Amino acid sequence: MNKKILTLSLLLAVLPSVSMGASVYKWTDENGVTHFGDRQPTGAQSEKVNVRSGSASPASANRPSPTERVNALEEREQEAAEQRRESAAEEARQKQRAANCSTAQANLDVMARNARIRIEENGEQRYLTQEEIAEKRVQFEEIVAENCGPEKG
């Protein structure tokens, strides 16, 4: 009997301190009704209430709800993915620009070394005339100027 009374009295002594350690949240719904609960609501801004003094904790009032944190995280991930897509597109554009530059320079080099240039047209081979060579040279020089130098804004 003494053990039961001792256990019961210890339990009663500890119980109030355990219940005081619990968190209580206060929030107002879309209809203006104030609610209290032991769990922070999802999708609503809430305040943590100090049960002993009855005042709201200012730190918890500024804390975003779990839904707001998830939405912010998803937004940051979308922005990062967009940044990766933009940088990949820019990298591909730079690679294409470098390839255009080297091809045009190689073609100009071939034109400078050879007096006669042969091309294939409709399955037949023919030589370019001096006027056609001059036109091609101008085209390749424009490509070199556009792709090999610094980019113009």
Side-chain angles (χ1 to χ4, degrees):
M1 181 80 167
N2 275 342
K3 287 184 180 181
K4 286 184 181 181
I5 292 175
L6 181 62
T7 305
L8 185 58
S9 62
L10 282 174
L11 184 63
L12 289 175
V14 173
L15 188 61
S17 65
V18 170
S19 67
M20 292 308 254
S23 298
V24 176
Y25 295 94
K26 173 184 172 184
W27 69 95
T28 305
D29 66 10
E30 62 275 354
N31 297 326
V33 178
T34 302
H35 299 274
F36 293 90
D38 62 344
R39 293 188 202 132
Q40 188 173 10
T42 57
Q45 191 70 23
S46 65
E47 297 178 1
K48 187 174 183 180
V49 177
N50 184 344
V51 177
R52 289 187 180 182
S53 68
S55 63
S57 170
S60 65
N62 295 332
R63 186 172 154 204
S65 71
T67 304
E68 291 170 336
R69 289 190 304 234
V70 166
N71 291 341
L73 177 63
E74 287 174 351
E75 186 176 314
R76 284 193 304 269
E77 287 175 352
Q78 287 175 352
E79 289 171 0
E82 180 65 27
Q83 182 67 27
R84 285 191 298 271
R85 281 192 295 273
E86 288 174 2
S87 69
E90 177 64 21
E91 184 178 333
R93 193 182 69 71
Q94 289 293 338
K95 285 181 180 179
Q96 184 62 49
R97 190 171 187 268
N100 291 347
C101 174
S102 65
T103 301
Q105 285 177 331
N107 288 340
L108 281 175
D109 187 43
V110 167
M111 288 181 167
R113 285 187 282 128
N114 298 315
R116 295 179 62 181
I117 298 175
R118 186 174 58 189
I119 64 168
E120 184 175 324
E121 211 174 56
N122 298 328
E124 296 183 13
Q125 301 224 350
R126 73 171 185 90
Y127 288 100
L128 293 178
T129 65
Q130 291 301 319
E131 294 81 24
E132 290 173 324
I133 291 174
E135 288 174 14
K136 293 287 185 187
R137 183 173 288 123
V138 169
Q139 287 175 349
F140 291 133
E141 287 171 350
E142 288 173 359
I143 293 172
V144 166
E146 183 180 317
N147 291 287
C148 295
E151 282 193 66
K152 298 173 185 165

